[in-house]
Amino acid sequence: MRSLPEILSRVEKGKAVVMTSQQVCELAAADDVSRLEEVDVVTTATRAVMSGTYAVLSFPVSSPHVFSRAGRIWINGVRAQVGPCPNENLGVVDAVVFGTAHSHSRRDYGGGHLFRNLAEREPVEVVVETDHGRRLETQLDLDQMPYARLCGTRQAFMNYSAFVNPTIEPICTIFHARGFDPCCSGLTFSGCGQINPLKNDPLLETIGVGTRVLYNGAEGFVTGTGTRSSAGHPNLTGFANLHQMKPDLMGGFVTSAGPECICSWAVPIPVTSRSILREIARLDRELDLPVMDVCRRQLLGHADYGQAWQNSDLEVAFDPQKCLGCSRCRAEPVCPMKAISFDGRVASRDEGRCFHCGLCATACVSGAFKCNLGSIRLGEREIPIVLRQSDRLRAQQMAEDLKERIEDGSFRMSAPVQRIS
Ligand code: SF4
Ligand code: SF4
């Protein structure tokens, strides 16, 4: 196999063979071993609800000497933690905002929505309560925040789980946007399967501290593994500059237990060893998808990502011609991305917001929103998939984008400075 410096040199000279993980898996499915062995770099990606996200922001809220220190901060009603630096008398605050924090003033709005609004350059309402109980209010946008960084405490899990509700009661949870109906009547799942970065390098042979990645479309870096990471189920921590992020790749996702946060990662994997070559060739059907009881968090059985992604449509199709203009649109209120609008006559969809979760296709009465979401076999039962909390379609597009950027030299791959143990 080629060493990492050899691969980086080939990339630099424009001679490297770069393929997306989807292309590689198609070669593996066709048993095209000789072409597989030519691959230097595989571009991988995942886009999903990632709760372990926070932003570190620093911005002015008044002239110097108006207040001594911040006591409490809200941005668009989302509570922020006051940062450790007191910025005494400077008129500046440091704030840490959790992606899963909920707004007290805006319905179905949380940290994930706020991050996207900031990336969209929308003005946000800032309220600061000072340590002396004074209230300051201001409005500002991202360009008025000199420092804005998005960070992850747990991102890009190698793969995740599927959930069902086996009880006889409905349940509200972050794993379903509408809430689970009882008796295993529907299944939700997360994970981008064969194209996930850590599926392609599960032993972290090439992804290390300092690996350059695309985090919500911005160049960022891996800093290590995150909370609940283990050898069998690794995840990553990292950061990137919020100023450079693409709004369409991030945002809030409203679940039946409140708003959550969406993030997207694209990671290049240099093929430096036989074990990586083996892993990149593993297909969805070879990847375990545990099916869990969402209430007790107990394992009920095993499926695989082939069942989740190979017999279904990645894209949710929308045909406004088929909309019946119902007296009450069933699809609009269930959309966790607020991507659907209904004006009383016809529904429309904001393509840049759609996550292709599929929930609208289960609610629309006419097939205006349409998607074969597939099903998962659990014992003797075939349980329909009703919601996907990962967007494989957009993840594939991100992997294609990263491939193009490596080939045209606008994304420079970096060697890690330290291996993650
Ligand atoms: S439920 Fe479907 S058909 Fe009815 S208004 Fe909504 S999109 Fe149109
Ligand atoms: S697939 Fe439907 S419900 Fe899901 S985000 Fe897109 S429009 Fe909304």
Side-chain angles (χ1 to χ4, degrees):
M1 304 301 296
R2 284 180 273 274
S3 67
L4 182 56
E6 279 174 306
I7 291 175
L8 295 181
S9 160
R10 282 167 64 82
V11 170
E12 194 84 10
K13 292 176 185 151
K15 291 184 175 163
V17 178
V18 185
M19 287 192 191
T20 65
S21 42
Q22 182 61 26
Q23 289 175 311
V24 164
C25 288
E26 283 163 17
L27 291 180
D31 217 10
D32 193 342
V33 179
S34 60
R35 283 197 65 205
L36 258 182
E37 296 204 336
E38 288 170 7
V39 181
D40 291 301
V41 178
V42 181
T43 58
T44 64
T46 185
R47 172 170 151 84
V49 174
M50 296 188 199
S51 308
T53 309
Y54 64 98
V56 183
L57 311 171
S58 182
F59 48 88
V61 290
S62 75
S63 311
H65 308 297
V66 170
F67 67 98
S68 172
R69 295 175 180 222
R72 297 198 288 175
I73 304 173
W74 295 264
I75 310 174
N76 283 354
V78 178
R79 177 77 187 270
Q81 314 302 312
V82 178
C85 294
N87 294 314
E88 201 175 85
N89 292 315
L90 296 178
V92 170
V93 295
D94 286 6
V96 180
V97 187
F98 296 161
T100 48
H102 299 169
S103 173
H104 67 77
S105 60
R106 298 181 182 209
R107 196 159 174 262
D108 291 338
Y109 188 94
H113 297 87
L114 174 64
F115 304 155
R116 178 169 176 143
N117 284 159
L118 284 169
E120 288 168 329
R121 271 41 182 191
E122 286 218 0
V124 294
E125 310 285 340
V126 178
V127 176
V128 176
E129 208 175 84
T130 72
D131 55 349
H132 290 107
R134 188 171 166 193
R135 186 181 166 95
L136 302 168
E137 292 183 26
T138 188
Q139 193 184 69
L140 71 176
D141 64 28
L142 186 62
D143 292 329
Q144 293 164 297
M145 295 184 175
Y147 188 99
R149 196 173 266 196
L150 210 65
C151 312
T153 60
R154 182 193 303 167
Q155 306 265 297
F157 246 121
M158 182 164 83
N159 275 311
Y160 210 73
S161 302
F163 291 97
V164 291
N165 173 17
T167 73
I168 54 168
E169 300 288 338
I171 178 169
C172 291
T173 157
I174 58 169
F175 297 109
H176 200 314
R178 293 175 79 172
F180 273 100
D181 290 331
C183 305
C184 295
S185 54
L187 175 146
T188 72
F189 77 94
S190 299
C192 280
Q194 64 191 17
I195 71 167
N196 176 289
L198 287 166
K199 168 266 168 184
N200 286 276
D201 184 10
L203 301 176
L204 297 164
E205 290 180 58
T206 68
I207 301 173
V209 176
T211 294
R212 187 180 277 122
V213 299
L214 291 178
Y215 183 17
N216 293 342
E219 283 195 17
F221 295 93
V222 172
T223 51
T225 49
T227 58
R228 290 188 54 220
S229 184
S230 64
H233 296 279
N235 63 50
L236 296 173
T237 56
F239 69 89
N241 189 344
L242 186 53
H243 291 94
Q244 291 159 4
M245 291 188 177
K246 294 186 177 168
D248 284 2
L249 298 180
M250 53 202 294
F253 185 96
V254 179
T255 74
S256 52
E260 280 282 324
C261 182
I262 287 171
C263 288
S264 307
W265 283 62
V267 181
I269 311 283
V271 186
T272 54
S273 71
R274 287 270 151 207
S275 64
I276 290 189
L277 190 60
R278 257 195 315 277
E279 297 299 338
I280 64 173
R282 284 212 300 150
L283 303 174
D284 281 326
R285 62 173 180 258
E286 300 168 76
L287 305 176
D288 183 38
L289 176 59
V291 181
M292 310 286 291
D293 170 343
V294 73
C295 305
R296 300 179 194 88
R297 294 294 190 97
Q298 280 174 354
L299 183 68
L300 298 176
H302 288 274
D304 61 66
Y305 276 92
Q307 293 178 52
W309 289 121
Q310 291 301 321
N311 303 314
S312 60
D313 303 328
L314 296 190
E315 183 171 7
V316 175
F318 173 56
D319 182 355
Q321 308 280 351
K322 292 198 176 141
C323 177
L324 302 176
C326 310
S327 56
R328 187 176 61 85
C329 177
R330 304 266 197 312
E332 183 196 31
V334 302
C335 176
M337 300 294 291
K338 302 288 166 224
I340 302 174
S341 306
F342 181 62
D343 64 6
R345 288 180 305 107
V346 67
S348 60
R349 177 169 73 174
D350 181 339
E351 301 294 332
R353 279 192 186 277
C354 181
F355 190 75
H356 299 283
C357 71
L359 201 53
C360 53
T362 68
C364 176
V365 297
S366 75
F369 290 93
K370 199 169 172 197
C371 183
N372 168 23
L373 290 164
S375 60
I376 296 276
R377 175 156 283 278
L378 184 65
E380 294 302 304
R381 287 187 65 178
E382 200 70 41
I383 304 180
I385 295 170
V386 292
L387 173 75
R388 310 184 288 213
Q389 290 190 303
S390 292
D391 178 358
R392 172 101 162 232
L393 180 74
R394 199 73 69 84
Q396 279 183 198
Q397 290 165 353
M398 285 157 45
E400 283 159 21
D401 178 47
L402 179 58
K403 171 183 174 337
E404 280 168 27
R405 288 176 64 166
I406 291 170
E407 287 172 336
D408 70 19
S410 59
F411 178 95
R412 293 196 64 189
M413 288 176 59
S414 63
V417 293
Q418 185 174 305
R419 197 163 168 190
I420 300 170
S421 57

